[in-house]
Amino acid sequence: MKWELAHQTLANSTSKGYGYKIVVMLKNIRVLLAVVFLLLFAFIFVDIKHVVPEKFLFYFTRFQLAPAVLSTIAIGGFAVFSLIFILLITALFGRVYCSTVCPLGTFQDVITRIFKPKKKKRRFKYHKPNNWLRYALFAATAILLISGSALLLNLLDPYSNFGKIFSNLVRPVYMWANNQLAAYYGSSYTVVPVEIKGFQAAAIVYSIVFLGVVGFLAVWRGRLFCNTLCPVGTCLSLLSRKSLVQIHLDHEKCNSCGLCAITCKAECIDAKERKVDMSRCVGCFNCLSACKSNGVLYSIPSKIKDAKTSDSTDEKRRFILGGLIASAASLTGLKAFAEEEEHTGRGRGRGRGRGQGNRGEPVPVVREFAISPPGSQSHDHFNSKCTACHLCVTACPKQVLVPAFTQYGFMGIMQPRLDYGVSFCNYECVVCSQVCPTGAIIPLNNEEKKLVQIGIAHFIRQNCVVITDKTDCGACAEHCPTQAVRMVRHRNGLFLPEVTEEICVGCGACEHACPTDPISIYVDGNPVHKPAELPQTEAIDKEIDFDEFPF
Amino acid sequence: MKRRDFITKGVGAGIVAGSAASFAGIGNVLAGGQQGDTGKPYDLVAVRGGEPAQMFDLAMEAAGGMAKYVKKGQTVVVKPNIGWDVTPDRGANTNPHVVKRIVEHCFQAGAKQVYVFDNTCDKWDMCYKNSGIEKGVKDVGGQMVPGHTESYYHEVPVVKGKSLKTTKVHELILESDVFINVPVLKHHGSARLTIAMKNLMGVVWDRRYWHKNDLHQCIADYCTFHRKPDLNVVDAYRVMLRNGPRGVSVDDIADMKSLMVSEDMVAVDAAAALLFGEEPSEINYIRIGDEMGIGTSDLSKLNIKRIRV
């Protein structure tokens, strides 16, 4: 067998010190990657100055499992590649994903480290898995997803909840600090202040509760969240259980001292039985460096052990060559898999096709439907794909996107909606659709966006200042990018707004600008986005005499 | 730190500085400058048929040069219309070539620093960039200043205001030695036209109040605020004849190739209205402005220089 050959070659060509170096290196690489990913993820969710390019956000976030899966279903493309990559890495090396690219995973490690007990022995000890709970939650998440709701992913996905915590709790603090700095450097105008707006009490409370739960679990029992509640962890555990390279205890070298188990935040090493539960191992490699007798191995648990042909002290080195060969072997099958994935096609929402909202409803405003971002196609599509990571909330230059409470119904809790009390949607902007990691918002370009009607403006005549005070206003029409709201001659030289629904894109500029209380013009969301017509214009036919002065 | 100082004592200081600057302007007028046929300096200079920067050069030459308004070592605030996230061909923002040329003139006259800002309607940084104004200003050493957060604005009384009694004004307006107002002539759905007087809505924070409390009266009221522009430059090169103030497409634009300068906001608005094809008396805020004595809309009383390129 070629595996045996590879192992023998390694075994013969290496010295004792080499193996230890690899162990240390492995953990260092893991720590380095984890820190880099954690910092990057932390930054993109507080990036109020929008310094991170949209393209980077698009690709970077697709290396998170939940976005990769959803985006593969919704739009395919790059997500197919990243999904296969994540699954392949897990199948080869176990859940190293959980200790490197997962921002919430590393975030928990940081919390665990801050609150770690002074006595080393009290850190971690082996526990049996909560299999019933984790598989039930995973199954429920998957079933809900298939039946058209991303609710459980929304509530449990580590990436999305990391996003919620940073976008809703850290971002306002970051903004405040920025504004302090801006005030300090006031007269030079070098630091630009930002408006702290759009934050929702519900989202802040949710984030605090989630942070509290995850923080408690992390301090209490390490990666308990990852191994019971996290659907991503459970999904990957199905592969890591039988991964090619595994952590295992050498039955000859291991003296069951339990040093490895004390450092195992997944609490998956049973030192007495010399067993490691690879379905829960998050690939942090702490156990490797903790072992003083070279009894913890990270290698291919092949038949070699049975054959006893190789020097077991060098087994931990085998994974490198083995892994490489395995990768090469798997890569040949990659393309076919990719093509197969591509055929899963686009998940377009069917839409409910209910009413268009209320026209001319008496005061105050009653909004029937929430307004979902342009590119989200319909509430159904959006609710089924959005995990509420709030990347678009942070990225929106106008800060018009805010986390919903129950505006989409409970199933859409925390999913972003447009709040025209806070701001309005810039006509020439498609940032949210460009950064959305899950395909809940399908990418649009500026020209495509202008043809999408996310809602319709409704004028409430009896609230309008032109009617009540008989004075000109026109704030609504002034801000309307298509003149779907325009001022028409009323009486006594006054002008009154009029709405042309066909060319209204639902951007909410009119609603945001309206000065009356309650407002006189509002946008009701289209639960299924409709096509908007482009405003028709003809060139002005006017002869101009440049020599003439009319005064 | 400086900002904090400003908030506590700066408003008063700004008012003093502002008054001083306007007195300086009057002094210059009395001292001479370019004079018309009657021997008096021009009240209004109008240019037609040229390119934006060229027309500004000609207008300023007739008006007595920028040195009449900007003294060595002074700070200048230039307030164009940068309200919209659209390209220059759409005519929704002041022509970037005009703004750039104004900044150059100010520096040539010895200005210490030239600031340019607007309280935009669309996202401010996108407006600054896509209007072409940011690049033009930066290329000649001016500084673009944001006006998108309330922290830049300070409440001032509008003593002679009827509807508008107080309003929050951008600190640059209160602090700078010289204030140059650079509107673009446009159709406006609610105010009918936007020119010099209406352009000042971009130096205050709470515009909703204006819309809610008799827009035309508020526009005129604010023009009574003592920190008036020292100079108004009306860009009427590309003029939006309908669907204003944002416009829908380039189809809304007619090339008028005009530019006007005046110290009198009401006069320059009246002249621009006539150019647009509207009677000044039909535009309520111009009529009210004349009645309140902010300026004169009766152009026959004025000494006007007309330049054809």
Side-chain angles (χ1 to χ4, degrees), chain A residues 18 21 79 85 110 175 221 260 263 286 290 303 307 309 331 335 343 356 400 405 418 433 442 444 476 490 499 505 519:
Chain A
Y18 187 52
K21 273 183 196 160
F85 181 78
V110 172
M175 284 174 147
R221 281 182 49 191
C260 52
T263 65
N286 284 352
K303 292 152 195 159
T309 47
L331 272 169
K335 210 183 160 195
H343 290 299
Q356 293 189 1
V400 67
F405 185 41
L418 285 81
S433 84
I442 303 282
L444 296 175
C476 50
H490 176 51
V499 181
V505 292
I519 49 173

Side-chain angles (χ1 to χ4, degrees), chain A residues 76-189:
Chain A
F78 182 74
V80 180
F81 164 76
S82 57
L83 175 60
I84 293 169
F85 181 78
I86 296 166
L87 298 180
L88 187 68
I89 288 288
T90 310
L92 292 176
F93 303 113
R95 284 166 58 185
V96 287
Y97 171 99
C98 302
S99 281
T100 50
V101 294
C102 178
L104 193 74
T106 309
F107 190 58
Q108 290 175 78
D109 292 349
V110 172
I111 294 173
T112 309
R113 198 185 170 93
I114 293 170
F115 293 98
K116 84 175 169 191
K118 288 190 181 82
K119 283 189 182 169
K120 208 180 173 186
K121 275 186 184 170
R122 288 199 196 142
R123 287 189 68 187
F124 303 109
K125 62 178 183 199
Y126 175 76
H127 281 88
K128 285 198 172 120
N130 297 305
N131 279 336
W132 189 87
L133 182 58
R134 66 170 163 161
Y135 291 122
L137 270 178
F138 176 67
T141 306
I143 289 165
L144 259 185
L145 207 57
I146 291 162
S147 63
S149 168
L151 180 67
L152 273 176
L153 258 192
N154 178 343
L155 300 177
L156 297 173
D157 175 45
Y159 155 76
S160 303
N161 283 291
F162 179 84
K164 287 191 200 66
I165 291 169
F166 273 70
S167 183
N168 293 296
L169 301 181
V170 183
R171 188 167 55 111
V173 177
Y174 188 71
M175 284 174 147
W176 176 83
N178 172 79
N179 288 357
Q180 295 301 307
L181 211 62
Y184 187 79
Y185 291 109
S187 50
S188 66
Y189 300 107

Side-chain angles (χ1 to χ4, degrees), chain B residues 149-170:
Chain B
T149 59
E150 198 170 356
S151 59
Y152 290 116
Y153 296 81
H154 306 286
E155 185 145 342
V156 295
V158 182
V159 181
K160 291 179 192 163
K162 285 180 182 160
S163 286
L164 189 72
K165 300 288 186 191
T166 64
T167 198
K168 284 190 153 189
V169 179
H170 196 284

